[in-house]
Amino acid sequence: MKFVMPFNGSRGDVTPGVALGMEFAHRGHDVLFGAPPNLLDFARAKMAGAQGVQVVSFGPDTHRLLESELIRVRIKSRNPRTRMAALAELANHGWDQMTAELEQMAEGSDAIVTGSLGQEMAFNIAESAGNAFVALHYCPLRQNGAVPVSPGLVLPGPVNRSMWAVAEALRWRSMKTRENTQRASLGLASTRDSLPVRSERYGGVEIQAYESALFPGLVEQWGPLRPFVGFLGLNSGQHDIDPALNRWLQAGSAPVYFGFGSMPVPDPAALLRMIEHVCRRLGVRALVCAGWSDLDGAESVADRSNPDIMIVDSVDHASVFPRCMAAVHHGGAGTTAASARAGLPTLVCWFSADQPFWGAALRRIGAGASIKFSTLSESQLLQGITDITTDGARRAARRLADTVAPTEVAVAAAADIAEAAARDR
């Protein structure tokens, strides 16, 4: 069978797709994988050597988007009109390009497997070709009574369900014109129904690529069209740790990891000062990962003679997290999965999207804490790290790790589901 896999977003959005695509190839299927231009080399490097795999550029550069004035300023505006206009512009960003590219990619395919972003366009193309439609969800995205739309709230089930219904209606209102234009170009009838309704009617499968233990009640509410498999990711041990980092890790106590992934930090110098001051007061070492933030000009702020601070461009979470005592990060699904798998108590300093869901989930089970990054202060960082390094937080994080499905098990389960969907079609 041929699986077409268009993936958009940050590295955390693309990595689960890469892992699943490699599993398809291992099972003898053909895979056409689409990655944003800025993650093309990453996807090709990970999938190098896999038979039957082709990796192509798909959609706009997501690094540039996250660094843009749209994301850094307008979408965070306190003015509701400015914010809504920015959200509408974001929804349109790259739509025409991606729909055109995906139409070409989908020729001769049996199934379209996509991530959480861009599902509407992928579904319409799957429907037009009669292909199986499979989407990976990295957090709760559909109507339910167990998880509030606003993380951290505790609301009755009917209220949760009503708020999700409103959120889905607003999403559909923002998408219906673009979707029906695309559907007309594909020879499909226009529709008044949102994607969740159409996908369920069509028999599309929305794989929940995260641990159900973090969101109690969802398994019971969602049926076989929204199966849970656990966190998807690449197998550990695929990367060698940088020798300098390895020597630093061996030279002292387990550090606290700091990293904010694809989230551009507004003032890296101020963040480094804060990290250094807090870790000095706590008497702990700090491993700081730059990710997509520019720390080149900020490194001089840190005391380079301080042997307890290590700054790196990137790390392999699966290899490094088990050697840390705690983690402070943005709460992306992939990084949260790595924390959970390593049994690391975690302070989530979230920016947007699904990140506050993960912070609230970890806090709820006692394995972490959560705070909005834009409000983070030195005293809050100090208190947050103090809270997650208690014996109780460590035990809760270890209990969570014991429930997390091994990477290979989660990926195999997702592949089984996608294969079955493709066969049924």
Side-chain angles (χ1 to χ4, degrees), residues 12 14 59 62 78 103 119-120 131 147 178 181 195 216 224 268 276 292 296 414:
V14 172
T62 52
R78 293 185 178 181
E103 278 190 54
Q119 292 181 43
E120 289 88 354
N131 285 355
V147 181
R178 282 190 304 280
T181 298
L195 176 62
E276 188 168 25
W292 285 11
D296 289 342

Side-chain angles (χ1 to χ4, degrees), residues 92-347:
N92 276 312
H93 185 78
W95 174 272
D96 292 338
Q97 175 188 350
M98 288 187 286
T99 52
E101 290 174 345
L102 184 52
E103 278 190 54
Q104 290 187 328
M105 291 171 62
E107 291 180 4
S109 62
D110 297 289
I112 296 180
V113 181
T114 189
S116 294
L117 302 174
Q119 292 181 43
E120 289 88 354
M121 70 178 70
F123 174 81
N124 290 331
I125 291 175
E127 183 184 355
S128 71
N131 285 355
F133 172 72
V134 179
L136 304 183
H137 287 188
Y138 306 141
C139 71
L141 294 176
R142 297 296 183 236
Q143 199 173 140
N144 70 88
V147 181
V149 171
S150 297
L153 295 179
V154 179
L155 299 171
V159 176
N160 284 335
R161 195 171 293 279
S162 297
M163 292 179 69
W164 277 106
V166 170
E168 288 181 1
L170 290 173
R171 173 69 178 176
W172 169 234
R173 181 180 298 177
S174 72
M175 298 295 297
K176 63 181 179 181
T177 299
R178 282 190 304 280
E179 278 212 67
N180 279 324
T181 298
Q182 181 198 19
R183 291 177 67 83
S185 72
L186 294 169
L188 296 171
S190 64
T191 181
R192 296 181 179 180
D193 295 326
S194 64
L195 176 62
V197 173
R198 284 178 284 137
S199 177
E200 186 167 352
R201 186 168 60 222
Y202 184 74
V205 181
E206 296 175 337
I207 296 174
Q208 308 304 301
Y210 53 95
E211 292 296 332
S212 61
L214 287 163
F215 300 100
L218 286 185
V219 171
E220 292 77 16
Q221 293 190 26
W222 287 344
L225 294 181
R226 295 194 184 112
F228 282 84
V229 299
F231 292 115
L232 302 186
L234 298 167
N235 287 326
S236 61
Q238 293 189 2
H239 301 83
D240 293 326
I241 298 179
D242 177 75
L245 173 56
N246 191 48
R247 288 193 297 271
W248 184 82
L249 288 169
Q250 292 176 336
S253 59
V256 176
Y257 169 87
F258 295 86
F260 300 94
S262 59
M263 299 294 103
V265 174
D267 190 346
L271 178 64
L272 281 177
R273 279 194 297 267
M274 185 188 302
I275 290 171
E276 188 168 25
H277 293 166
V278 166
C279 288
R280 183 182 294 118
R281 290 175 64 181
L282 292 173
V284 299
R285 301 203 301 163
L287 172 59
V288 183
C289 181
W292 285 11
S293 295
D294 182 11
L295 293 184
D296 289 342
E299 278 198 55
S300 59
V301 173
D303 181 359
R304 304 317 299 145
S305 65
N306 184 352
D308 292 333
I309 305 289
M310 180 74 172
I311 300 174
V312 296
D313 290 333
S314 62
V315 299
D316 173 37
H317 292 146
S319 301
V320 170
F321 274 14
R323 301 173 68 175
C324 297
M325 65 179 292
V328 178
H329 59 66
H330 61 300
T335 316
T336 302
S339 290
R341 192 164 274 123
L344 272 189
T346 299
L347 172 61

Side-chain angles (χ1 to χ4, degrees), residues 398-424:
R398 177 45 55 193
R399 285 195 298 269
L400 174 61
D402 291 340
T403 70
V404 174
T407 301
E408 60 275 12
V409 172
V411 172
D416 288 343
I417 293 166
E419 280 183 328
R423 283 195 301 269
D424 289 345

